[in-house]
């Protein structure tokens, strides 16, 4: 049985994303797979690439053949170099920068004004009266 490491297409018409899968070479593109070993989202900036390196190394070692597209992804992640024996193979995948926390400009006046706090005399007076009565009862 010939096993391939290839891309399985998911998503909408103009918004594709892919899963990197291990499948029999005779199955349909989006058909039954043996194992999913990664994800690839080409429309994000920079492209999102995630590969389970350990599983990719295993499948390459038992003879699975990657397609051209997957071979390019494996070269980016460094897995192809490790498989070929290059000990210095490193990942060249670009990672998205972390989002910067939003800080409101303190110099500008806020648009919404806080409501004036109105004291609730009944709510505060009731516990005070209960304490006063407890004090007089003790005496």
């Amino acid at each position: 049985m010939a096993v391939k490491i290839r891309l399985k297409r998911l998503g909408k018409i103009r918004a594709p994303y892919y899963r990197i899968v291990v499948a029999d070479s005779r199955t349909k593109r989006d058909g039954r797979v043996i194992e999913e070993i990664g994800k690839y989202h080409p429309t994000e900036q920079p492209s999102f690439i995630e590969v389970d390196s350990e599983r990719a190394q295993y499948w390459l070692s038992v003879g699975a053949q990657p397609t051209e597209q997957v071979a390019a992804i494996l070269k980016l992640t460094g897995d192809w170099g490790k498989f070929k024996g290059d000990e210095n193979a490193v990942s060249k995948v670009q990672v998205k920068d972390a989002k910067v926390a939003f800080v409101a400009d303190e110099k500008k006046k806020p648009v919404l004004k806080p409501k004036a706090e109105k004291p609730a005399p009944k709510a505060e007076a009731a516990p005070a009266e209960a304490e006063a009565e407890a004090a007089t009862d003790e005496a």
Side-chain angles (χ1 to χ4, degrees), residues 20-94:
I20 301 169
V21 298
V22 177
D24 183 356
S25 62
R26 297 170 289 185
T27 60
K28 297 177 184 177
R29 178 191 70 181
D30 301 333
R32 190 182 71 184
V33 300
I34 298 170
E35 183 179 0
E36 293 180 358
I37 61 171
K39 298 176 184 176
Y40 172 53
H41 298 259
T43 55
E44 293 183 11
Q45 294 297 331
S47 296
F48 174 77
I49 298 172
E50 178 182 287
V51 177
D52 184 357
S53 182
E54 184 178 311
R55 297 307 296 164
Q57 293 297 320
Y58 167 76
W59 283 108
L60 289 170
S61 68
V62 295
Q65 295 297 311
T67 61
E68 290 181 24
Q69 297 89 347
V70 173
I73 291 171
L74 293 177
K75 286 176 186 175
L76 277 177
T77 60
D79 292 323
W80 187 253
K82 289 178 188 174
F83 171 66
K84 289 295 185 181
D86 182 14
E87 299 296 327
N88 300 326
V90 293
S91 176
K92 298 173 189 163
V93 177
Q94 296 177 356

